[in-house]
Amino acid sequence: MSTPEFDLLIKNVRVVRPHGNVVFDADIAVAGERIAKIAPGIDATRAKTVYDGKGRLAFPGVVDAHMHSGIYSPLAEDAVTESKAAAMGGVTSSLNYFRTGQYYLNKGGAYKKFFPEVLKISKGRFHVDYGYHLAPIAREHIDEIPMLIDKHGVASFKIFMFYGSHGLHGRSDSQRDFLMIGEDERYDLAHFEFIMRGLQAARERFPDKARQISLSLHCETPEIMTAYTRLVEKDKSLKGLAAYSASRPPHSEGLAVFIASYLAHETALPNINLLHLSSKKAVQAALMMAEVFPHIDFRREVTIGHLILDITSKAGELAKVNPPIRPRDDVEYLWEALLAGELDWVVSDHACCRQEMKVPKHYFGNIWMAKSGFGGTEYLLPALVSEGTKRGMGYNHMARVTSWNPAQRYGLNRKGDLAEGFDADIAIVDPAKTWTIRASESPSTQGYTPFEGLELSARVDATFLRGHKIYENGEVLGKPRGQYLHRPTA
């Protein structure tokens, strides 16, 4: 009897690729953790293991390109539990923003010492493949960019534009302490310019990787936010999410997009990612800048939270996030932009923040004292399929914005598509399964979700990471087998 040539055969699925407008019936054969063959009627005797897809959709595994593992809980804990949540949602690649300073590892210093510690803690703990975007916070970090690219495969970097004079959760006068930088350092527009110059110099040093080396920006303007926060705090007519949105107004996002874009032009840095655009004004600003600077390759991101929630959400302060959840008009505009192809990828911005940390009991109901951020990676794909289907969004488009586009931008060249030679990262989705989101059913340690009670019409039934079944029917399976993503991958 001959040895089976395939390790796994997924029979009877409707294959969703990120290109074109067709979903087709086929089987997917896996050998050596890669997709070996996609065709109808592959003989089951050719595989060691057979999985019956029962006519469900097979999406490329989701590349959740915006997560924050280890921000509010120790990385060693978050890596395990939050990657389980990711697996539940069909996510197979988790790209996490990380930095020095308060939160995360709660230490400053050079990345040459800091980042190996991050990698050591991460190893053997993630249930999905994982990578890191890093933020150059201190001056010395700019000089370390080439080392981070060459030695550690970090291909993407971040600027938090509001950190210079505004805290993670609101107004602050102690930013040097928060960022753990020296008395002679400033985290300001000049620093952002020098980051861009340093990154462009690194791109020129590594021309073979330059296409997939990029800079991401959180675009909000601290001076405007600080001034508006004072105004809104005095105005007792606004409460909760509406007050928080007004305190960080959309034009603060738009102005920051303009500034970031001009700095990119000035420094000749062509690969710019505008993160979690939350409002009509922010998206319009981003589209304007693409016309003004056609030589810059702007990519525009939106989160599932900003597509699903609005300021009337019963979640209240549990849905506090930066940039804020916006009024319904902004949400509808984001959908229009997404359907028009003006937004490039959809992410979770997952930041597990347990309730006792999010809003201590004696501050319950106080939006200003709540921490910013919440989890949601497990709902990214099912919520997009549910809501997107209602709005006429095609499955191929969904695969493009959850897998292909972020994989291509961030240097994951074996991820993001269902094709021969690609990693066998596959999410099996039932597009006609109605269910209600309950935080109690998630492996995340958050314990609540702002999406609680939301009825969805699609569910991830199983997730395969490089051909290994890591999730099925509500259960994460086996030990963590996620591998570090040294980018760009070959």
Side-chain angles (χ1 to χ4, degrees):
M1 193 172 172
S2 61
T3 307
E5 62 190 292
F6 304 128
D7 300 313
L8 169 70
L9 181 62
I10 299 176
K11 294 283 291 178
N12 185 27
V13 285
R14 295 157 62 208
V15 177
V16 181
R17 293 193 63 193
H19 316 293
N21 297 300
V22 178
V23 173
F24 59 95
D25 296 335
D27 302 337
I28 304 172
V30 177
E33 300 194 329
R34 307 264 187 104
I35 295 171
K37 187 178 177 71
I38 299 180
I42 300 175
D43 184 354
T45 62
R46 296 169 68 185
K48 293 176 191 167
T49 305
V50 178
Y51 178 88
D52 183 5
K54 298 178 182 173
R56 292 167 293 183
L57 298 170
F59 272 85
V62 172
V63 176
D64 193 345
H66 193 149
M67 294 183 68
H68 295 268
S69 296
I71 178 172
Y72 293 123
S73 299
L75 178 59
E77 294 174 19
D78 256 8
V80 178
T81 60
E82 305 318 296
S83 67
K84 282 184 177 180
M88 174 183 169
V91 174
T92 49
S93 298
S94 163
L95 294 179
N96 297 272
Y97 285 98
F98 221 85
R99 59 164 173 77
T100 56
Q102 287 182 15
Y103 297 98
Y104 302 99
L105 296 190
N106 279 310
K107 54 177 76 171
Y111 272 121
K112 68 183 175 192
K113 188 175 177 187
F114 182 94
F115 193 55
E117 188 177 342
V118 173
L119 294 178
K120 186 179 177 184
I121 294 168
S122 305
K123 193 169 185 181
R125 286 190 163 94
F126 278 84
H127 284 266
V128 301
D129 287 350
Y130 62 95
Y132 290 99
H133 316 276
L134 295 179
I137 298 293
R139 200 180 295 127
E140 66 181 321
H141 296 161
I142 298 172
D143 296 331
E144 292 184 297
I145 288 172
M147 176 273 292
L148 290 168
I149 293 170
D150 192 40
K151 183 177 179 182
H152 293 300
V154 176
S156 42
F157 298 84
K158 183 175 183 180
I159 289 170
F160 300 83
M161 289 185 75
F162 70 93
Y163 271 1
S165 58
H166 209 80
L168 183 56
H169 313 296
R171 285 187 290 132
S172 174
D173 297 317
S174 55
Q175 286 308 89
R176 277 203 184 90
D177 295 338
F178 172 62
L179 296 172
M180 297 185 179
I181 56 177
E183 284 296 314
D184 63 334
E185 297 209 33
R186 290 172 63 91
Y187 192 80
D188 58 10
L189 292 177
H191 182 64
F192 305 161
E193 176 193 329
F194 297 139
I195 289 172
M196 290 183 178
R197 292 193 188 283
L199 190 54
Q200 178 54 18
R203 290 181 70 257
E204 290 167 10
R205 182 167 164 182
F206 303 112
D208 55 323
K209 300 176 182 178
R211 181 179 69 87
Q212 292 178 312
I213 295 172
S214 65
L215 179 68
S216 299
L217 294 106
H218 179 136
C219 294
E220 289 185 281
T221 314
E223 296 85 353
I224 287 178
M225 295 190 316
T226 298
Y228 272 76
T229 298
R230 285 197 186 98
L231 290 174
V232 174
E233 282 176 332
K234 288 175 188 169
D235 178 359
K236 302 304 179 190
S237 68
L238 287 173
K239 289 191 168 47
L241 294 174
Y244 197 61
S245 177
S247 78
R248 301 172 81 115
H251 71 271
S252 158
E253 275 191 278
L255 178 58
V257 167
F258 272 44
I259 294 167
S261 302
Y262 186 80
L263 283 178
H265 164 70
E266 166 63 24
T267 58
L269 178 63
N271 291 346
I272 298 293
N273 312 310
L274 302 171
L275 302 183
H276 43 44
L277 299 171
S278 72
S279 61
K280 181 177 182 177
K281 286 182 178 178
V283 174
Q284 287 180 332
L287 294 172
M288 278 187 241
M289 290 298 94
E291 286 189 17
V292 173
F293 303 119
H295 51 290
I296 296 175
D297 181 9
F298 291 105
R299 300 296 168 93
R300 296 172 287 271
E301 176 187 278
V302 67
T303 79
I304 198 65
H306 288 109
L307 288 170
I308 299 296
L309 303 169
D310 65 38
I311 57 169
T312 67
S313 167
K314 291 175 186 166
E317 62 271 21
L318 297 180
K320 181 178 177 180
V321 69
N322 303 329
I325 298 302
R326 299 293 188 189
R328 178 47 52 175
D329 285 352
D330 282 304
V331 176
E332 292 304 320
Y333 184 85
L334 293 177
W335 274 107
E336 287 171 25
L338 180 62
L339 293 170
E342 293 168 347
L343 299 174
D344 295 288
W345 54 78
V346 184
V347 295
S348 69
D349 196 0
H350 184 97
C352 171
C353 187
R354 296 172 194 169
Q355 189 149 355
E356 62 273 20
M357 176 170 272
K358 179 83 177 177
V359 199
K361 276 185 183 164
H362 53 291
Y363 287 129
F364 203 72
N366 185 335
I367 194 74
W368 309 111
M369 298 309 294
K371 297 280 194 295
S372 299
F374 53 79
T377 186
E378 61 269 59
Y379 312 120
L380 168 54
L381 183 59
L384 185 68
V385 174
S386 298
E387 191 65 20
T389 301
K390 287 182 207 166
R391 294 167 179 271
M393 188 177 190
Y395 293 140
N396 308 89
H397 189 181
M398 295 175 196
R400 243 186 339 273
V401 297
T402 56
S403 299
W404 176 257
N405 287 351
Q408 284 295 300
R409 180 54 145 198
Y410 291 122
L412 302 178
N413 296 312
R414 295 197 308 270
K415 309 283 191 185
D417 195 4
L418 298 179
E420 289 180 17
F422 277 70
D423 285 357
D425 293 350
I426 303 159
I428 304 296
V429 176
D430 186 336
K433 184 178 279 187
T434 299
W435 63 291
T436 302
I437 292 177
R438 301 286 178 221
S440 58
E441 295 173 8
S442 170
S444 169
T445 58
Q446 186 164 269
Y448 68 89
T449 173
F451 304 110
E452 185 77 26
L454 184 69
E455 189 175 273
L456 299 183
S457 58
R459 188 156 198 170
V460 175
D461 284 344
T463 306
F464 293 84
L465 175 67
R466 287 176 277 105
H468 305 279
K469 187 165 61 178
I470 60 169
Y471 170 83
E472 188 175 28
N473 297 330
E475 233 181 299
V476 178
L477 309 169
K479 292 179 179 173
R481 57 168 71 244
Q483 295 178 354
Y484 175 64
L485 297 165
H486 190 286
R487 302 173 291 126
T489 51

